[in-house]
Amino acid sequence: MSVAFVLSFIVALLPSRAQEPDPLATWQSRINQARLDEGLAPYGFSSLLAAAAQRHADDLAANQITSHTGSDGSTAAERIAEAGYAAWRWNGGDLIVGENFWVGQGTIDNALAFFLEDPAHRDNILSTTYREVGIGVATDADGRTYHVLDFGARPNVLPVFINDGAARADDAQVAIRLTNEEARPGGEGVVFMGRAIEIRISDEPSFEGLPWQPWEPLVPWTLPATPGEHTVYVQFQDAAGRTAASADAIVLGDEVSVTPTPTLTLVPPSPTPEPTATPVPPTPTIELTPTMVPTSPPPAPSPEGGAVSPSATSESAVPPVVEPTATVLPSLTPAPVEPLPVGITPFPTWTPLPTSTPQQEARRPDAPVLLLLALQGLALIFGVYLALHRGRGR
């Protein structure tokens, strides 16, 4: 018996890490099932939101802290923006994004149960404004697991789901669940569409010549009968004629084995400029106020964790294991205009009148000198008169 055979036999007996469930896939499946149970469309998976969430999860685990503020001072919205996620913005410039996190030694189901019991976290899980989610998971040296969920909504990104995001279908007749623009129903400009009123569906990326039909949450569709992976493309159009397109894929039959992929988006908005128009005001449950929590390492948490109410202004009595959602960036408003100095500033076309110069003033004779000259003149005239008068008298 060779050494290679023995080693291969031992390896075969060891549990395979590849067979362990993917926590990110498990999280998305649990979240989307909770949304479907409430009649809501699933969340699409965003790799950009996932990058921001994983960054924060790694930071929390490395420093054993429980806060929406990172060890570098970053906020949830700043991390999401730095990941390249070009979210819509509320009036005032705050990103339409949110964040949940849970710390403990329990399971994903424990964490999700806690989120659904806490109003602030539940609002993020079951939001009608957000359309995408990203997940980050990390473990610290003491075995605690840090779960971070980031949520957001981007212009022109409207995920679609074949059979509610299923990986496979046994029947070519499927249902396509659609999302819609609820973060900014009016859209913006000539590019960023608002709430869709019409759609058209295709088995190809082209929609030319296809008829429009009314937008509905669920639309029936028939896949090509060929077994294998099929992609369905959906184009949305709003009342202003602005359009966006998305796609999703599913495997028909059991012959082909594929790994489920994130929801496809044909028109990603990330490279486009950030919206600047005045947005629709947010609902009270989305724009949350961060609260104060201790930043020292937490005590050994229970599997349920704890939370602070997003509307509270002081620390909660429950263990500081989970903090509520921090959703906003500081408002991106222009710098205040510096006031002009106090005083009178001449109008640009105003020209001061000329004033006399010292030289001009020096040329002006004094009044006494003029009087003296006048008297001398009179005396001279009087003298001439007397001389003439005496000459005549002789």
Side-chain angles (χ1 to χ4, degrees):
M1 184 181 296
S2 67
V3 175
F5 176 80
V6 174
L7 291 176
S8 62
F9 179 76
I10 294 174
V11 170
L13 294 177
L14 294 175
S16 174
R17 294 187 62 85
Q19 296 175 354
E20 295 178 2
D22 179 3
L24 306 189
T26 301
W27 258 118
Q28 188 170 11
S29 174
R30 297 289 195 276
I31 291 171
N32 285 345
Q33 187 57 55
R35 291 180 60 81
L36 290 170
D37 291 344
E38 296 294 327
L40 301 172
Y43 278 146
F45 178 83
S46 167
S47 60
L48 299 176
L49 288 175
Q54 191 61 52
R55 167 186 167 182
H56 194 47
D58 291 339
D59 184 29
L60 296 181
N63 295 282
Q64 294 191 341
I65 56 178
T66 55
S67 174
H68 286 289
T69 302
S71 62
D72 59 355
S74 63
T75 66
E78 288 170 342
R79 291 187 295 270
I80 290 171
E82 289 170 8
Y85 188 85
W88 280 115
R89 293 179 180 271
W90 294 125
N91 187 20
D94 298 330
L95 292 176
I96 301 181
V97 297
E99 182 175 89
N100 287 1
F101 79 81
W102 187 92
V103 181
Q105 295 177 331
T107 64
I108 290 175
D109 289 333
N110 295 141
L112 179 60
F114 167 76
F115 287 153
L116 294 177
E117 290 172 1
D118 180 78
H121 296 88
R122 179 183 175 88
D123 287 344
N124 283 340
I125 297 290
L126 303 179
S127 171
T128 57
T129 300
Y130 301 141
R131 296 189 292 272
E132 296 179 286
V133 66
I135 302 109
V137 179
T139 303
D140 67 14
D142 296 327
R144 285 187 293 263
T145 304
Y146 297 73
H147 303 266
V148 179
L149 313 180
D150 282 344
F151 309 89
R154 291 183 287 177
N156 289 1
V157 177
L158 301 174
V160 298
F161 306 89
I162 304 173
N163 286 357
D164 289 332
R168 307 181 168 278
D170 295 327
D171 192 335
Q173 184 66 39
V174 296
I176 303 175
R177 189 177 293 272
L178 307 177
T179 57
N180 212 334
E181 181 56 75
E182 303 298 342
R184 293 281 295 276
E188 181 186 331
V190 297
V191 176
F192 299 132
M193 66 170 291
R195 185 181 287 127
I197 60 172
E198 294 180 312
I199 62 161
R200 49 186 179 180
I201 308 175
S202 175
D203 290 320
E204 303 292 337
S206 174
F207 302 94
E208 186 175 358
L210 296 178
W212 292 97
Q213 63 185 83
W215 181 97
E216 295 180 4
L218 280 174
V219 180
W221 185 252
T222 303
L223 300 172
T226 307
E229 185 175 15
H230 298 281
T231 301
V232 177
Y233 303 86
V234 179
Q235 186 178 36
F236 298 82
Q237 180 169 257
D238 66 4
R242 296 168 294 194
T243 62
S246 295
D248 191 21
I250 195 169
V251 172
L252 178 62
D254 298 326
E255 288 78 3
V256 181
S257 176
V258 297
T259 302
T261 57
T263 303
L264 302 176
T265 303
L266 300 184
V267 188
S270 298
T272 61
E274 289 289 345
T276 55
T278 302
V280 177
T283 57
T285 58
I286 300 301
E287 192 171 10
L288 303 176
T289 303
T291 56
M292 298 173 58
V293 295
T295 56
S296 58
S302 62
E304 296 79 23
V308 182
S309 170
S311 60
T313 57
S314 61
E315 295 181 10
S316 173
V318 296
V321 178
V322 185
E323 193 179 83
T325 303
T327 61
V328 298
L329 268 176
S331 298
L332 301 179
T333 55
V337 178
E338 184 177 354
L340 293 173
V342 178
I344 300 176
T345 302
F347 192 73
T349 60
W350 177 81
T351 303
L353 293 174
T355 57
S356 58
T357 62
Q359 293 80 0
Q360 291 173 330
E361 293 179 355
R363 295 192 188 100
R364 296 175 183 172
D366 294 333
V369 175
L370 292 176
L371 181 59
L372 180 60
L373 293 175
L375 291 175
Q376 290 177 346
L378 289 174
L380 179 62
I381 294 172
F382 184 70
V384 171
Y385 172 76
L386 290 177
L388 292 175
H389 183 72
R390 287 176 182 174
R392 289 177 183 176
R394 290 176 185 175

